[in-house]
């Protein structure tokens, strides 16, 4: 499989989603975060768009969201998030195991995702992900293997305050297994709001003296190269 080509195609899909203004329905607003949805063209489920403001620069926010290190310390939806293969400086494959959701009615899933970072003009960054087959990590009997169709984060400077960032997230996750779509539709919007709130808390913690102890600029070089 040409992982790099797929990564670039996925980033373009995420960019296309951001430019598509038709058919979205707001399904939740909470704490200045808006979740909208529309029918996915990839599977029998929804494509979700989540929008919020993060009080951090775009470069630091993108670095924070891209890096596998410390992800489980702030993302409360995950049990495991590990890079299992590096393709190049801005393209990696990650193995993820989620927590259970909806008071245990949605059991943990695992995913193998191709994650890609790309910087565009105007300091806009896209971090895209798409599930792939990766022979070194076949599905196991321990977890239902889910599938993320083209997903991603778009980070851009807030026009009225460039020191802060607008974060727009697109998610279309096929949970698989024997799940009623109504359970997923009922729980997904709240989980997506929680993700943004967790990200806000996580990046805020990095600015504290304790947090700076584990934050390092391992991707500063690639951010400068873009």
């Amino acid at each position: 499989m040409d992982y790099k080509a797929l990564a670039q195609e996925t980033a373009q899909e995420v960019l296309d989603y951001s430019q598509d203004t038709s058919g979205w329905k707001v399904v939740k607003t909470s704490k200045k975060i808006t979740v909208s949805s529309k029918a996915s063209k990839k599977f029998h489920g929804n494509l979700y768009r989540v929008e919020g403001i993060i009080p951090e620069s775009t470069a630091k926010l993108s670095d924070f969201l891209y890096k596998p290190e410390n992800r489980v310390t702030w993302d409360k939806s995950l049990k495991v998030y590990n890079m299992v293969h590096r393709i190049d400086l801005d393209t990696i494959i990650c193995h993820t195991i989620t927590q259970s959701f909806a008071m245990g009615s949605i059991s943990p899933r695992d995913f193998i995702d191709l994650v890609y970072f790309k910087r565009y003009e105007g300091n806009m960054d896209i971090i895209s992900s798409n599930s792939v087959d990766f022979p070194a990590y076949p599905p196991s009997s321990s977890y239902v293997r889910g599938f993320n169709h083209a997903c991603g984060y778009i980070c851009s400077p807030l026009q009225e305050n460039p020191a802060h960032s607008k974060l727009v997230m697109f998610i279309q996750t096929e949970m698989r297994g024997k799940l009623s779509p109504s359970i997923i539709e009922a729980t997904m919007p709240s989980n997506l709001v929680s993700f943004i709130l967790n990200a806000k808390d996580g990046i805020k913690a990095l600015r504290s003296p304790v947090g700076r102890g584990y934050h390092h600029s391992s991707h500063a070089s690639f951010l400068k190269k873009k």
Side-chain angles (χ1 to χ4, degrees):
M1 177 180 286
D2 188 342
Y3 289 122
K4 187 68 178 188
L6 177 59
Q8 292 168 337
E9 289 171 13
T10 303
Q12 182 60 50
E13 282 188 81
V14 172
L15 181 61
D16 290 344
Y17 292 151
S18 72
Q19 295 168 345
D20 177 10
T21 58
S22 65
W24 294 101
K25 177 185 176 183
V26 174
V27 293
K28 189 174 184 65
T29 53
S30 177
K31 299 182 179 179
K32 299 182 179 179
I33 299 163
T34 302
V35 183
S36 307
S37 72
K38 66 191 301 185
S40 170
K41 295 180 180 178
K42 301 276 190 176
F43 75 113
H44 186 61
N46 287 332
L47 167 64
Y48 290 91
R49 182 181 69 196
V50 193
E51 301 171 84
I53 305 301
I54 307 291
E56 188 56 89
S57 71
T58 296
K60 288 182 180 178
L61 175 61
S62 300
D63 190 43
F64 172 77
L65 292 172
Y66 176 77
K67 290 194 302 188
E69 305 97 291
N70 309 308
R71 177 67 177 262
V72 295
T73 64
W74 63 266
D75 187 346
K76 295 182 174 66
S77 69
L78 300 182
K79 284 200 287 191
V80 172
Y81 188 87
N82 290 327
M83 181 180 73
V84 296
H85 182 64
R86 178 176 290 282
I87 294 161
D88 58 26
L89 198 57
D90 49 19
T91 317
I92 59 179
I93 293 177
C94 290
H95 179 228
T96 304
I97 302 174
T98 68
Q99 304 281 7
S100 61
F101 294 105
M103 299 173 62
S105 59
I106 301 177
S107 62
R109 264 50 179 173
D110 83 328
F111 298 85
I112 295 290
D113 291 325
L114 175 67
V115 182
Y116 174 58
F117 175 99
K118 183 173 182 179
R119 171 155 290 169
Y120 293 78
E121 290 183 11
N123 284 332
M124 181 182 78
D125 298 335
I126 290 183
I127 301 155
S128 62
S129 64
N130 201 113
S131 288
V132 293
D133 290 324
F134 188 59
Y137 277 77
S140 78
S141 58
S142 302
Y143 299 100
V144 175
R145 172 65 55 88
F147 193 94
N148 283 315
H149 299 274
C151 298
Y153 315 114
I154 301 180
C155 310
S156 58
L158 194 62
Q159 284 188 338
E160 56 268 33
N161 183 359
H164 291 184
S165 300
K166 181 178 181 180
L167 174 60
V168 183
M169 183 166 67
F170 294 94
I171 300 292
Q172 47 185 344
T173 299
E174 190 171 354
M175 292 290 190
R176 296 183 172 170
K178 298 176 181 178
L179 271 181
S180 164
S182 62
I183 294 178
I184 298 170
E185 290 171 15
T187 58
M188 187 67 83
S190 293
N191 290 338
L192 295 173
V193 168
S194 294
F195 175 88
I196 300 285
L197 295 175
N198 289 339
K200 277 185 173 181
D201 289 343
I203 204 162
K204 182 180 178 181
L206 291 180
R207 293 199 297 266
S208 71
V210 174
R212 284 197 292 270
Y214 71 75
H215 181 56
H216 59 87
S217 54
S218 63
H219 282 79
S221 57
F222 92 75
L223 287 168
K224 289 176 182 175
K225 285 175 68 177
K226 296 297 161 187

